[in-house]
Amino acid sequence: VALTYEKLLDSCVKTPTIHADNTSVFAQYTIEVENREQFCLSMSEKEIPTAVHYPSLLPSQPALEHLAESDKEFPVAEHACQRVVSLPMHPYLTFDEQVKIVEAVKESLI
């Protein structure tokens, strides 16, 4: 399913990168878009669910709040935190469903 997404999305958005010596079970398929709020609204209007699994930086979570108290900055994490969104992902997602989702993604980027 992830490989099909990657092919259908055809570099129109930033997709997950899996290094050659690794594998993934893809519990989520998370992409990066410029205007996430507008993108999610547009997808919702097309009846395609999206999810934001990581809405805030890890240092803002209680277990890692000590990192937020330091002078450290997290520019890559901040960038991703504002742009990542997950598409529907499960092993029974059909090719036709993926085509519909990807068409909605492409329309929602405009």
Side-chain angles (χ1 to χ4, degrees), residues 28-100:
Q28 297 95 27
Y29 192 85
T30 303
I31 61 172
E32 188 175 309
V33 298
E34 283 299 315
N35 187 339
R36 183 176 64 199
E37 188 174 322
Q38 181 60 39
F39 175 84
C40 290
L41 179 61
S42 179
M43 293 291 282
S44 178
E45 289 169 354
K46 294 170 180 40
E47 299 182 355
I48 306 292
T50 58
V52 178
H53 294 285
Y54 311 104
S56 59
L57 294 175
L58 287 177
S60 68
Q61 304 297 320
L64 297 174
E65 63 189 5
H66 66 281
L67 294 175
E69 296 168 0
S70 70
D71 290 337
K72 294 180 183 178
E73 294 183 15
F74 307 95
V76 174
E78 289 172 7
H79 177 87
C81 188
Q82 297 169 4
R83 291 170 178 80
V84 295
V85 58
S86 297
L87 301 178
M89 183 66 176
H90 57 81
Y92 306 109
L93 202 57
T94 68
F95 179 79
D96 289 342
E97 290 169 326
Q98 284 189 277
V99 168
K100 179 182 175 185

